[in-house]
């Protein structure tokens, strides 16, 4: 962890004309960093200082709080609503439909047929999208489930989608997106996202997709209410925000919810080296529970 110097050079302020300015001192940033880490496990480095300022300054103005020190006092007082607002502000939600598409191709081609054979006796399949953001990932998974398992009419197939950010989770559950988000999607898949208006400016996830998915808020540091077992887990672009110790704890808990042979997908900038031996690498960022 970098050391913090108490100097004007390390103080972040807004320089937009007519907008109220705040000083984010070293001690204020340390307090925010420690709060976020304690409550979410997200490790904010000094490189995130500008981002923290930009996102929280708007919150200070809305609350008419005079300083970051005063804002830290408010959050440290234990106000659960403000802690949620802080979490929503600092989490990054960058996603798209069928992002890292090779995961979905292998899911359809190899993994789901194998899972179908393995679960023939129970006729039960469970998938978890951890860190689902605004819903593009779980709805992409749901499309693949419908395409590959639509013939299993009497099977119990369910998709759990979770995120720590209450605002993006609400958007995911709503399932409506600007039409431009579907550019590049295979035409045959657009049927799963019918237009919400005559101009096709917005499309919404169909009832067929929504019937598969359950959206729930979940802080990965908190107790997990679900019991599993999960046949497939998507935990992509989530662990990059955690330090190694938190990652080790996370994947020990995740492995406990998966049986040997089950599947785990992580993001392209992530790996499990020196994190866990409960999973073996099968292909690029695709793992199997051992």
């Amino acid at each position: 962890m970098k050391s913090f110097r108490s100097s004007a050079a390390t103080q972040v302020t807004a320089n937009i004309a007519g907008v109220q300015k705040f000083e984010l001192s070293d001690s204020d940033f340390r307090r925010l960093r420690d709060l976020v880490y304690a409550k979410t496990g997200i490790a904010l480095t000094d490189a995130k200082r500008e981002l923290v300022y930009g996102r929280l300054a708007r919150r200070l103005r809305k609350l008419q709080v005079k300083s970051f020190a005063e804002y830290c006092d408010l959050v440290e007082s234990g106000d659960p609503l403000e802690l949620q607002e802080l979490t929503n502000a600092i989490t990054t939600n960058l996603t798209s439909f069928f992002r890292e598409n090779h995961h979905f191709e292998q899911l359809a081609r190899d993994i789901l047929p194998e899972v179908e054979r393995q679960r023939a006796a129970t006729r039960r399949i469970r998938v978890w999208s951890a860190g689902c953001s605004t819903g593009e990932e779980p709805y992409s998974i749901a499309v693949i489930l419908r395409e590959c398992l639509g013939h299993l009419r009497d099977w119990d197939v369910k998709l759990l989608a979770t995120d720590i950010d209450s605002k993006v989770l609400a958007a995911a559950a709503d399932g409506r997106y600007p039409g431009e988000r579907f550019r590049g999607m295979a035409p045959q898949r657009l049927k799963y996202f019918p237009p919400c208006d005559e101009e096709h400016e917005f499309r919404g996830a169909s009832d067929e997709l929504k019937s598969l998915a359950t959206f729930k808020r979940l802080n990965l540091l908190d107790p997990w209410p679900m019991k599993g077992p999960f046949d497939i887990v998507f935990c992509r672009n989530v662990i990059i925000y955690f330090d190694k110790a938190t990652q080790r704890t996370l994947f020990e808990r995740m492995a406990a919810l998966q049986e040997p042979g089950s599947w785990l997908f992580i993001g392209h900038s992530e790996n499990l080296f020196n994190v866990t031996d409960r999973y073996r690498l099968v292909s690029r960022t695709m793992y199997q529970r051992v």
Side-chain angles (χ1 to χ4, degrees):
M1 186 65 67
K2 292 183 179 180
S3 62
F4 294 90
R5 296 170 298 149
S6 296
S7 69
T10 63
Q11 294 172 350
V12 182
T13 57
N15 55 15
I16 303 173
V19 175
Q20 183 181 359
K21 301 177 183 179
F22 302 97
E23 178 184 301
L24 179 57
S25 68
D26 292 348
S27 61
D28 294 337
F29 184 74
R30 282 196 297 269
R31 288 174 72 186
L32 289 169
R33 181 194 64 193
D34 293 346
L35 276 166
V36 169
Y37 182 79
K39 299 298 183 181
T40 70
I42 296 173
L44 294 173
T45 66
D46 199 28
K48 299 291 186 182
R49 193 175 182 126
E50 293 278 358
L51 180 145
V52 169
Y53 180 91
R55 294 188 176 182
L56 288 183
R58 292 191 293 269
R59 186 66 186 161
L60 268 64
R61 294 184 192 106
K62 183 174 182 178
L63 293 172
Q64 297 184 331
V65 170
K66 295 182 175 62
S67 67
F68 274 97
E70 185 177 337
Y71 181 74
C72 290
D73 291 340
L74 173 63
V75 179
E76 289 173 345
S77 71
D79 183 338
L81 294 178
E82 196 52 45
L83 179 59
Q84 181 61 57
E85 290 289 346
L86 171 61
T87 302
N88 291 352
I90 59 90
T91 49
T92 300
N93 296 287
L94 175 64
T95 186
S96 61
F97 289 105
F98 297 97
R99 184 182 183 189
E100 300 174 12
N101 188 54
H102 75 99
H103 285 165
F104 298 98
E105 292 176 350
Q106 189 151 354
L107 179 66
R109 183 182 63 247
D110 302 320
I111 295 174
L112 284 177
E114 179 182 330
V115 171
E116 180 181 345
R117 289 191 297 270
Q118 292 173 340
R119 295 304 185 192
T122 63
R123 297 187 176 188
R124 176 188 184 277
I125 296 175
R126 291 292 184 270
V127 184
W128 178 17
S129 170
C132 69
S133 188
T134 46
E136 287 88 340
E137 177 179 275
Y139 287 128
S140 298
I141 297 170
V143 168
I144 300 298
L145 292 175
R146 284 299 184 195
E147 290 178 345
C148 297
L149 305 180
H151 60 286
L152 305 178
R153 298 296 182 183
D154 58 343
W155 281 48
D156 181 14
V157 181
K158 292 290 189 295
L159 167 62
L160 173 65
T162 65
D163 202 279
I164 193 173
D165 187 329
S166 59
K167 291 182 179 178
V168 299
L169 198 62
D174 182 52
R176 289 183 294 176
Y177 304 91
E180 62 191 26
R181 299 298 301 274
F182 299 91
R183 291 174 185 165
M185 183 180 288
Q188 66 270 22
R189 287 176 171 165
L190 291 176
K191 67 181 180 181
Y192 294 107
F193 302 92
C196 299
D197 51 60
E198 292 183 0
E199 293 76 21
H200 294 198
E201 291 185 5
F202 284 86
R203 288 180 175 268
S206 65
D207 292 340
E208 188 178 11
L209 295 189
K210 287 188 172 183
S211 67
L212 285 171
T214 300
F215 293 90
K216 295 288 185 181
R217 183 180 179 275
L218 181 67
N219 183 337
L220 291 174
L221 291 193
D222 289 344
W224 296 355
M226 57 278 197
K227 304 299 182 183
F230 288 100
D231 303 287
I232 301 161
V233 174
F234 278 69
C235 187
R236 306 189 305 171
N237 307 303
V238 173
I239 66 171
I240 53 174
Y241 300 105
F242 301 143
D243 59 20
K244 287 290 186 183
T246 305
Q247 291 177 19
R248 293 186 186 103
T249 300
L250 171 65
F251 284 107
E252 281 299 309
R253 298 174 71 190
M254 196 166 287
L257 293 181
Q258 291 196 277
E259 296 175 351
S262 300
W263 292 87
L264 169 68
F265 295 84
I266 63 175
H268 278 182
S269 60
E270 302 168 326
N271 66 76
L272 300 186
F273 177 72
N274 200 29
V275 172
T276 180
D277 58 3
R278 306 290 296 277
Y279 295 90
R280 68 179 182 90
L281 181 65
V282 175
S283 184
R284 186 171 45 136
T285 59
M286 289 182 277
Y287 293 79
Q288 239 180 337
R289 168 79 158 80
V290 296

